[in-house]
Amino acid sequence: MDNSFKNILILITLLVLPAIGAAASIAVFSDGVVYNAESYKIGEDEYISAEALAKVFRGRLQWNDKLHKGKLTFSGHSVVLIPDNPFVLVDKGFLSIPVTPQLHGGKLMISVLTVPAIFSKASGKKVVWDPEARTLLIGRGAPNIKGIRFSSSPSGTKVVLDLTKPLKYRPRSLPKNKFEVFLEGGVLNSSDISAKSCPGLIRSVDAETTDDGARVVFHLNKRHVKAKVLSLKGPNRLLVTFTPGRKEVVVEKRALEVIVVDPGHGGRDPGAVGRTGLCEKTVTLDIGKRVAELLRRKLHVKVILTRTKDEFVSLAERAKIANENKADLFVSIHCNASLKRESGGTETYFLSVAKTDWARAVEARENAVIKFELPEAAGDTASLDYILWDMAQNEFLNESSEFAEVIQKELTSRFRIEDRGLNQAGFYVLKGCYMPAILVELAFISNRKEEKLLKKDSFRGKAAQGIYEGIKSFKKAYERKLNL
Ligand SMILES: [Zn+2]
């Protein structure tokens, strides 16, 4: 064979046989279950194998070599496909399709464009091909409840359902130590959720996707358990906490009902002291009492002060007070101090944990030591009041930062001193405390002008009003988010 003839033959072959190859993969979401199927490009069209679709529909594919046709059967339905034939037999009716099935490499292929028409008719389910996202959605489609996480401590068990978008939910207790959360429009990633083993107060979890949403049922180990459900965002998730209680399973109110106001320092711990002798502990107690009074009178919420007189209360005790009262919000009131006399202004901290175990360990050590260091060596950070914190706060970073932002705004709009903005710090001890928490540094007691302000009745009134307004608007926004 001479070369030119060989070239012509190759050219003819290329023209006659359309190119075939595994083009890419297609994600198939069938009622919350995810499959990855290979797709093949034949000419201009994209195909998926009938075999892959049989797997998705939990059916089987039979190829009849003599009659040169394939039959796919699943849950009482059948689809008969003939290569290069524009008619498909679905159960007992014919369906005309624009792109014919193909036989390639011994595999029966179906054009992805024709899959919705064929399989919605056969299964009675909604079937959609999304070419942009390269996904095939069947029935309830993609899961919006991605997974479930558990963690347990002596104070209770925490469950986090990771969501792709916010979902409305309805919690209720059921007989025989069961607690149910129904998520409207929820679609479970069922393979992930049922496979987990459960710790602490939970014995097992049943989860199912129904026509109008997802039902998650917790089987509890004990009769006396308190359950609380909270919707959180950034990332979207639903937090369900179980704590040992005195009564049978009860759903707690989801609104912000219990607020802990924490006047910093007290007793033998005066906090920072100003040049004229004004003590931080005196200012924080007076303002804390004013905030509590406003909240009780105007917002009708339960308010707990961590101290009501000039007494020493340890951080651990403050944490215990918040824990035992199942606080929904925690506000710690302080005054700032610095060796730099000119430093001044208002700043609000939201309490956060260090990013790594090592950083946490270092921060914890530094904080424990800081009180023993010389003020000169400690520098500006010595003035910062740390509240010991727990990993549980991770769940509330967004809420706490939003809360800090609104408090800072309300305070600085009332004061005529520098707005130092938001900051984050903190560590651990409020074990099992699930609440947004902040710490305000109203003004610098070490600054002559600001110390004078902190003595004034009018300034203290403005501070209390600012904190009160901040709590009020945060509560409103928070409850609107929960659809209360
Ligand atoms: Zn302080």
Side-chain angles (χ1 to χ4, degrees):
M1 211 188 299
D2 73 75
N3 259 349
S4 62
F5 186 72
K6 209 189 270 173
N7 284 344
I8 287 165
L9 198 67
I10 289 168
L11 190 66
I12 289 169
T13 312
L14 286 175
L15 288 173
V16 171
L17 286 179
I20 175 168
S25 73
I26 290 174
V28 184
F29 293 110
S30 179
D31 291 334
V33 183
V34 190
Y35 299 89
N36 268 307
E38 275 195 349
S39 77
Y40 302 85
K41 200 117 189 203
I42 305 172
E44 285 300 298
D45 296 304
E46 194 165 357
Y47 289 75
I48 181 170
S49 74
E51 208 181 337
L53 286 165
K55 201 173 152 195
V56 169
F57 284 94
R58 293 164 196 217
R60 70 193 199 108
L61 177 72
Q62 293 160 284
W63 173 252
N64 187 325
D65 219 16
K66 219 166 106 188
L67 299 171
H68 198 64
K69 66 181 183 184
K71 188 178 183 183
L72 206 158
T73 48
F74 62 94
S75 44
H77 300 284
S78 68
V79 175
V80 178
L81 301 139
I82 303 167
D84 303 312
N85 191 314
F87 291 98
V88 179
L89 184 64
V90 176
D91 291 335
K92 278 173 184 155
F94 278 104
L95 184 73
S96 156
I97 50 169
V99 185
T100 61
Q102 299 286 321
L103 193 65
H104 262 285
K107 279 184 173 179
L108 184 61
M109 305 285 192
I110 305 169
S111 155
V112 287
L113 293 177
T114 65
V115 168
I118 300 168
F119 288 90
S120 62
K121 189 176 162 78
S123 67
K125 287 179 180 175
K126 195 172 144 191
V127 181
V128 178
W129 163 242
D130 180 348
E132 301 274 303
R134 304 191 48 74
T135 52
L136 199 56
L137 303 168
I138 299 163
R140 284 177 295 264
N144 49 28
I145 304 168
K146 292 185 292 181
I148 193 164
R149 292 180 276 137
F150 300 95
S151 61
S152 221
S153 74
S155 58
T157 300
K158 184 176 87 173
V159 183
V160 179
L161 289 165
D162 291 300
L163 312 176
T164 59
K165 60 172 186 178
L167 294 172
K168 282 191 181 179
Y169 61 92
R170 295 194 299 267
R172 63 176 179 144
S173 51
L174 300 171
K176 294 181 182 168
N177 312 337
K178 282 185 282 186
F179 181 73
E180 178 195 276
V181 181
F182 185 81
L183 294 103
E184 286 177 34
V187 180
L188 292 157
N189 181 350
S190 38
S191 52
D192 190 49
I193 286 180
S194 53
K196 297 282 167 92
S197 64
C198 310
L201 295 166
I202 304 167
R203 198 175 67 230
S204 63
V205 177
D206 285 339
E208 59 162 353
T209 306
T210 66
D211 285 340
D212 48 355
R215 189 183 309 284
V216 183
V217 179
F218 300 94
H219 298 256
L220 304 165
N221 279 328
K222 289 183 183 176
R223 273 183 68 184
H224 300 163
V225 172
K226 270 187 179 178
K228 193 168 182 173
V229 187
L230 277 173
S231 168
L232 302 168
K233 60 181 181 181
N236 290 302
R237 61 222 190 278
L238 202 68
L239 173 67
V240 188
T241 55
F242 296 100
T243 48
R246 288 192 195 91
K247 292 184 191 142
E248 307 231 342
V249 177
V250 286
V251 186
E252 290 193 345
K253 285 191 205 107
R254 292 166 293 163
L256 297 181
E257 297 283 331
V258 183
I259 297 165
V260 170
V261 177
D262 175 43
H265 313 279
R268 64 174 183 267
D269 171 16
V273 182
R275 279 176 181 73
T276 68
L278 179 66
C279 289
E280 180 184 354
K281 66 174 184 178
T282 314
V283 179
T284 60
L285 181 61
D286 182 34
I287 293 171
K289 280 180 174 173
R290 292 177 192 230
V291 172
E293 199 272 330
L294 282 168
L295 288 170
R296 284 181 189 130
R297 184 159 52 84
K298 292 181 159 184
L299 220 52
H300 311 291
V301 288
K302 187 177 171 188
V303 184
I304 292 130
L305 280 159
T306 53
R307 66 183 179 98
T308 53
K309 53 181 189 282
D310 183 18
E311 62 180 343
F312 179 80
V313 183
S314 72
L315 292 177
E317 282 170 75
R318 291 170 205 257
K320 209 174 147 205
I321 291 166
N323 267 339
E324 286 180 349
N325 289 286
K326 302 263 183 286
D328 297 312
L329 218 50
F330 186 93
V331 185
S332 196
I333 301 168
H334 291 261
C335 301
N336 231 330
S338 171
L339 291 172
K340 292 182 196 145
R341 287 162 186 242
E342 68 280 10
S343 291
T346 306
E347 59 188 3
T348 304
Y349 285 80
F350 58 97
L351 302 156
S352 151
V353 287
K355 295 279 181 276
T356 64
D357 286 348
W358 169 246
R360 288 183 72 203
V362 172
E363 279 189 79
R365 181 165 48 82
E366 297 290 37
N367 277 341
V369 165
I370 221 153
K371 285 204 192 304
F372 303 102
E373 286 179 354
L374 293 171
E376 304 89 70
D380 221 36
T381 54
S383 64
L384 180 66
D385 298 280
Y386 284 109
I387 283 278
L388 301 179
W389 218 243
D390 179 52
M391 286 299 281
Q393 270 299 307
N394 265 343
E395 295 296 343
F396 288 96
L397 273 188
N398 273 284
E399 282 70 20
S400 294
S401 74
E402 280 172 20
F403 184 32
E405 200 178 326
V406 65
I407 291 278
Q408 178 72 8
K409 199 185 108 217
E410 291 292 343
L411 286 173
T412 51
S413 69
R414 284 172 173 78
F415 297 163
R416 283 186 188 161
I417 57 177
E418 192 190 331
D419 178 354
R420 297 169 67 96
L422 300 186
N423 221 322
Q424 49 182 312
F427 304 146
Y428 83 1
V429 140
L430 288 189
K431 287 211 187 302
C433 264
Y434 304 110
M435 72 193 87
I438 58 152
L439 185 151
V440 289
E441 298 279 5
L442 293 165
F444 279 70
I445 207 164
S446 54
N447 175 307
R448 202 176 296 275
K449 273 188 201 160
E450 294 189 7
E451 185 190 7
K452 213 169 148 188
L453 284 173
L454 287 165
K455 276 184 188 168
K456 279 189 172 176
D457 180 69
S458 62
F459 186 85
R460 291 181 183 183
K462 278 183 197 168
Q465 191 69 31
I467 294 169
Y468 160 76
E469 291 291 344
I471 292 171
K472 190 175 122 185
S473 65
F474 179 76
K475 185 179 194 292
K476 210 172 143 190
Y478 191 84
E479 287 167 3
R480 192 169 47 231
K481 202 178 79 190
L482 297 178
N483 302 308
L484 289 176

